Amino acid sequence: MITPELVGLCLQKLAVGKACGPDNVSVKHILYAYPCFVLALCILFRTIFINHCVPTAFGVGTIVLLVKDKSKNFNDIDNYRPIALIPVISKIFEHVILCLCKERLSSDELQFGFKRGLGCNEAFYALRTTVSHFTSAGSTVYLAALDINFKEAFDSVHHDKLFDSLVSSGVPYGIVNILRHWYSILCVNVKWGSRCSQFFAVFNGVRQGSVLSPTIFNVFINVFIVRLRHLSFGCHLRSMFIGCLLYADDLLLICPSVRGLQTMLDVCVFTADSVCLFSMLINHIVWQ
């Protein structure tokens, strides 16, 4: 149920100081608006849920390029980082979806990326603990580091595969249908200085600049951990499986045997193919 209290709570999660979207509305405009504006947003969001579609303006975005290193060549395209500016009101609605589907949008505890309170330190600790446990007992631990090009996948993920993963995780069909419509109307332009390109449609990838995208992307790639858990291979600490660690675009496989590691690799290749992530680089590391 979308209430004014829920919308007000989501408003407080917005970060002040961010650039405006294509509509030139900033977070401060929303926060300092007349109190009845919250009620208007509540009515808008309820209407979206009833009709299973979002306003056309929700699908519009502007991409701007930021210089990574001002001491380097400005003519080098790799020296720029693109960011997407999207409407603030659409971000509020995304926070509403996150609040309503918090339990359904969870991912495995072995996924350390895009999660509050988790990061590289926790992933490294889990790795060191596992390796130390096996090596101290005289066992060899075999590792395979997989780069599944999630950075590119974030921009090229197959929308149907994404929605299928949301349905499988238990996200209500109504919300999935809203996202289907939302993704069907995505369009962006590129801003360079004071000039803007024409708008063009976006047919692949998760929505850039979105507060919801990292979470649903985690749900999308969670299938790797799910399928690896179903194997009898991989390292275990007592009854706890810790045969893989996933962080953003890096997947690390941990196994006490070469045969088991190869089986895990085969499963990852099959899984990448099934969700249309075709590019995969593998580096083998052996701990003795």
Side-chain angles (χ1 to χ4, degrees):
M1 180 65 178
I2 301 178
T3 63
E5 291 75 18
L6 175 60
V7 175
L9 178 64
C10 292
L11 282 175
Q12 300 305 315
K13 296 181 179 181
L14 297 176
V16 179
K18 297 290 185 178
C20 298
D23 55 3
N24 289 322
V25 176
S26 69
V27 173
K28 286 186 177 181
H29 288 138
I30 304 295
L31 293 178
Y32 297 124
Y34 198 73
C36 68
F37 185 69
V38 173
L39 181 59
L41 289 177
C42 186
I43 295 173
L44 171 63
F45 297 159
R46 287 178 181 177
T47 303
I48 291 174
F49 270 84
I50 292 173
N51 295 285
H52 293 174
C53 63
V54 299
T56 303
F58 274 28
V60 177
T62 295
I63 297 175
V64 296
L65 302 176
L66 301 181
V67 179
K68 293 180 181 179
D69 189 342
K70 293 184 178 180
S71 64
K72 294 185 178 180
N73 186 3
F74 280 26
N75 294 324
D76 184 2
I77 191 172
D78 293 328
N79 194 30
Y80 289 89
R81 177 171 63 90
I83 64 170
L85 306 179
I86 59 177
V88 175
I89 295 179
S90 70
K91 292 184 179 181
I92 302 173
F93 182 64
E94 289 177 319
H95 277 298
V96 170
I97 292 178
L98 287 173
C99 289
L100 295 177
C101 301
K102 183 177 181 180
E103 295 181 358
R104 302 296 184 181
L105 291 174
S106 60
S107 55
D108 197 282
E109 61 184 0
L110 295 176
Q111 164 62 265
F112 293 86
F114 304 129
K115 288 185 176 179
R116 179 173 296 181
L118 292 179
C120 290
N121 290 337
E122 288 74 18
F124 282 134
Y125 176 78
L127 174 61
R128 287 196 302 266
T129 302
T130 303
V131 172
S132 297
H133 175 80
F134 280 84
T135 55
S136 62
S139 175
T140 298
V141 179
Y142 297 90
L143 305 182
L146 280 65
D147 182 356
I148 314 179
N149 262 342
F150 286 158
K151 183 178 180 181
E152 292 184 9
F154 203 80
D155 298 326
S156 59
V157 59
H158 195 285
H159 289 170
D160 287 338
K161 300 293 184 181
L162 175 64
F163 301 136
D164 288 344
S165 67
L166 295 179
V167 172
S168 298
S169 68
V171 177
Y173 282 101
I175 292 180
V176 175
N177 288 334
I178 290 173
L179 293 176
R180 284 184 186 275
H181 174 261
W182 199 338
Y183 273 63
S184 71
I185 61 172
L186 293 182
C187 64
V188 297
N189 66 347
V190 178
K191 185 176 182 180
W192 180 262
S194 59
R195 295 179 177 273
C196 293
S197 71
Q198 293 183 341
F199 282 93
F200 54 91
V202 178
F203 299 106
N204 294 295
V206 293
R207 185 165 173 257
Q208 300 299 310
S210 162
V211 297
L212 181 61
S213 291
T215 300
I216 63 176
F217 188 72
N218 269 356
V219 174
F220 172 69
I221 61 174
N222 196 63
V223 63
F224 284 90
I225 303 178
V226 171
R227 293 184 178 178
L228 289 170
R229 279 187 179 276
H230 289 165
L231 298 176
S232 58
F233 300 103
C235 287
H236 290 75
L237 297 181
R238 295 185 178 180
S239 60
M240 181 175 63
F241 173 77
I242 194 164
C244 67
L245 300 174
L246 184 59
Y247 185 89
D249 59 346
D250 296 311
L251 177 61
L252 188 66
L253 305 181
I254 316 170
C255 189
S257 70
V258 175
R259 174 173 172 266
L261 184 63
Q262 183 60 59
T263 302
M264 296 174 74
L265 286 170
D266 293 340
V267 168
C268 288
V269 172
F270 173 80
T271 302
D273 181 71
S274 67
V275 295
C276 300
L277 295 177
F278 301 109
S279 182
M280 180 181 293
L281 301 177
I282 303 175
N283 295 313
H284 294 277
I285 309 173
V286 179
W287 239 293
Q288 296 182 331

